[in-house]
Amino acid sequence: MREAQTLSSLKHPAIIDIVGFGPLNDGRQYMVMEFLEGRTLEAEMLETGRMYTDRALKLADEVLDALTAAHSVDVIHRDLKPSNVFICKGAGGREFVKLLDFGLAKQQPVALVGSAPVGASVLAGTPEYVAPEQATGHAASKQSDLYSFGIMLFEMVTGELPFKGDEKLSGDDRIRG
């Protein structure tokens, strides 16, 4: 329900549109989103590797436009990554972006200094794209989204992440450090 309420307040061409949401008779919740044709930025990069700079910048500009709209109503995405950016195919083969998955989005009014309050989730998001302040338990901010965007843009134009952890084995578990 939180995702549906957040998205229904964001009317922007580069943000997924919520068609309807609410409770079912048995208490479960439903959400209906617009149907999109295309694929995620993640799928695109897995197939093609790095992108030509002009294409990457065009797509990045649309992502930034969507973030600006979200941030203007104090909504922070908190999980910006290639799998949450959808590249749609429009009329005449024109590409355009839709920002997805605001499930971790949070209204911003609470700005924490230091650590998160007792009982709060300390880390939300995908480690490769999480801003340092989030990784250390501080509240996500609009700047956190911009950090994640920067990681994503770097990956788009180079074909790899800017930071790589060492892989270490501990027993049978693989731990990324």
Side-chain angles (χ1 to χ4, degrees):
M1 286 304 293
R2 186 180 77 216
E3 180 177 8
Q5 290 167 337
T6 298
L7 285 175
S8 68
S9 72
L10 298 174
K11 298 296 180 197
H12 188 276
I15 296 175
I16 187 86
D17 196 23
I18 297 293
V19 178
F21 65 93
L24 296 170
N25 290 338
D26 64 4
R28 292 180 296 149
Q29 304 291 326
Y30 74 91
M31 180 172 56
V32 180
M33 294 182 272
E34 70 180 303
F35 179 77
L36 302 175
E37 291 190 46
R39 63 184 175 171
T40 65
L41 177 59
E42 178 183 52
E44 178 84 14
M45 290 190 305
L46 283 172
E47 182 178 309
T48 64
R50 68 182 238 29
M51 296 182 165
Y52 288 109
T53 305
D54 58 340
R55 180 169 182 235
L57 291 176
K58 180 203 169 297
L59 297 174
D61 185 50
E62 292 185 31
V63 171
L64 283 176
D65 198 34
L67 280 179
T68 298
H71 292 170
S72 73
V73 294
D74 292 324
V75 172
I76 301 165
H77 191 282
R78 296 186 344 151
D79 195 24
L80 188 61
K81 59 187 176 183
S83 63
N84 287 337
V85 175
F86 200 84
I87 303 171
C88 302
K89 300 290 182 191
R94 185 182 88 71
E95 287 185 328
F96 60 96
V97 163
K98 287 284 187 171
L99 193 52
L100 311 176
D101 195 5
F102 279 76
L104 293 175
K106 184 177 182 176
Q107 297 294 126
Q108 188 178 16
V110 178
L112 302 176
V113 177
S115 61
V118 175
S121 173
V122 173
L123 181 62
T126 303
E128 292 83 359
Y129 303 93
V130 168
E133 65 273 15
Q134 285 177 275
T136 58
H138 291 80
S141 66
K142 295 172 185 177
Q143 290 79 11
S144 305
D145 279 349
L146 293 177
Y147 176 91
S148 300
F149 169 80
I151 298 292
M152 195 171 62
L153 181 59
F154 183 93
E155 186 179 12
M156 290 166 71
V157 297
T158 66
E160 53 190 60
L161 289 165
F163 307 110
K164 296 177 182 154
D166 296 327
E167 290 189 13
K168 300 175 185 171
L169 294 177
S170 173
D172 290 337
D173 299 324
R174 181 181 292 188
I175 301 171
R176 289 194 163 255

